[in-house]
Amino acid sequence: MNDTSAPTTPGERLVSGEAVELEVRVARAGSRVLALMLDIVLQFVLMLALLIATGLIGYLTVRANIFDGGLLEAFIVIILVVVVVGYPVFWETLLRGRTPGKLAMGLRVVRDDGGPVRFRHALARALVGLAIEWPGLLFPVVSWLGGLGVLMLNPSGKRIGDLVAGTIVIHERTPAGWGWVPTMPPPLARWAVLLDLTGLDDSLALAVRHFLARNQQISEPARTALGQALAREVAACTTPPPPPGVPGWAYLAAVLAERHRRASQRLIRARAASASVWPGLHAAITPRILPPAWQPKLTTSAWAPPQPTGPPMPRP
């Protein structure tokens, strides 16, 4: 396993037209249903306003013998179609993949290659939603169950409209930061550059980070035993070994800080590479990188660095 930090939420890897691999947070059923409910409320208000206006105009025109009742019924049908289809098409085209509901939930529709959706994509999604999914003009019950089933079972969180249009819905808001990360001990900076971290997996790195953040809450001899056990695991999957006489906490802090530095550089390169795909996708693929919270100092204990002064680590 490489030494990149794992995303905090389930992700999906997209390959752009420029062969740049992007990792995004896929929107699942919960957030998408909430966004849909918000849009339905707005569509209902819009439809009600148009129907009231149409009814008022129709009353006046019928009394004036300008239009008959059949033409007014046709206008009502047109209003229903315009609101149900035109509402998502208009907003997704204008806001590049967002409706007011998706905007409130931090969601965006993008193409399968990570690019922005166009009018044809929004129209395809809306027409499929009208005819097959919601309100399900063909078979209402089957449409609801089938559409929801596809959304929940598809590994990429796609509904039928997404499959037809070649789109995917993602979270565009910046994910949570990686949390507290120790600063590189200056005497170990040159040694850390030579580290081979390909064998250090995410679970072990997370365990080391939690230990360094909370070690002073652990009493002896449990603290030393846990620190030695983590150091043995880290030494078994990384090379070269630490210089002689290095305190245990400094060794673990150096490994973790170097891993964070390399992952940060990769994210910066990925963000620069994605600029040619879609500048608006940066916030969706790049987590917020927090600065280290403390600078290690010499200590008399091999496993008791100073207590971090930054935000506390979340409890697992």
Side-chain angles (χ1 to χ4, degrees):
M1 184 180 295
N2 56 29
D3 58 327
T4 54
S5 292
T8 57
T9 57
E12 175 78 8
R13 293 188 179 276
L14 306 181
V15 179
S16 70
E18 290 76 14
V20 178
E21 190 176 34
L22 309 174
E23 185 169 357
V24 297
R25 299 169 60 210
V26 174
R28 299 299 177 181
S31 56
R32 294 188 63 171
V33 170
L34 289 176
L36 176 62
M37 292 176 64
L38 292 174
D39 284 327
I40 289 176
V41 172
L42 295 178
Q43 285 177 288
F44 176 78
V45 173
L46 176 61
M47 185 178 300
L48 185 62
L50 291 177
L51 289 177
I52 291 176
T54 302
L56 179 60
I57 295 175
Y59 174 77
L60 297 177
T61 54
V62 168
R63 288 183 60 86
N65 294 323
I66 299 176
F67 298 114
D68 58 12
L71 186 58
L72 291 177
E73 293 178 359
F75 280 148
I76 293 175
V77 173
I78 292 174
I79 289 175
L80 294 177
V81 175
V82 167
V83 171
V84 174
V85 177
Y87 174 92
V89 172
F90 172 78
W91 286 116
E92 289 181 4
T93 303
L94 179 66
L95 299 181
R96 299 170 67 88
R98 293 178 297 179
T99 61
K102 290 184 176 67
L103 181 63
M105 296 303 299
L107 307 181
R108 185 190 292 270
V109 183
V110 299
R111 301 197 307 261
D112 284 340
D113 62 357
V117 295
R118 306 296 183 188
F119 173 80
R120 63 181 183 274
H121 303 101
L123 181 61
R125 297 178 80 254
L127 291 178
V128 171
L130 174 66
I132 301 178
E133 296 174 316
W134 184 88
L137 298 182
L138 300 181
F139 305 98
V141 176
V142 176
S143 298
W144 273 91
L145 295 179
L148 185 60
V150 171
L151 176 61
M152 297 183 67
L153 296 178
N154 188 276
S156 299
K158 292 188 174 188
R159 64 177 180 87
I160 300 176
D162 292 316
L163 296 173
V164 173
T167 58
I168 187 172
V169 181
I170 63 172
H171 288 273
E172 66 169 355
R173 290 174 181 167
T174 303
W178 288 347
W180 172 83
V181 177
T183 301
M184 173 68 67
L188 299 179
R190 291 187 178 181
W191 165 81
V193 175
L194 305 176
L195 278 171
D196 180 6
L197 300 175
T198 54
L200 181 61
D201 59 34
D202 300 320
S203 60
L204 179 55
L206 182 62
V208 172
R209 190 174 69 177
H210 279 286
F211 170 74
L212 291 176
R214 301 172 178 169
N215 71 91
Q216 293 195 1
Q217 302 173 13
I218 307 173
S219 58
E220 294 289 359
R223 176 171 57 195
T224 297
L226 179 57
Q228 290 175 345
L230 288 173
R232 284 194 297 266
E233 290 188 56
V234 172
C237 60
T238 62
T239 56
V246 174
W249 65 266
Y251 167 58
L252 295 179
V255 172
L256 205 62
E258 178 63 17
R259 185 176 192 266
H260 177 262
R261 185 189 68 83
R262 296 180 187 181
S264 301
Q265 289 182 344
R266 276 192 295 273
L267 285 173
I268 293 173
R269 289 194 295 267
R271 185 169 184 171
S274 66
S276 60
V277 182
W278 181 20
L281 198 60
H282 289 333
I285 67 170
T286 306
R288 177 171 50 94
I289 301 174
L290 297 180
W294 61 284
Q295 175 70 36
K297 299 178 181 179
L298 293 179
T299 178
T300 56
S301 173
W303 302 107
Q307 185 71 11
T309 58
M313 288 288 294
R315 296 189 177 275

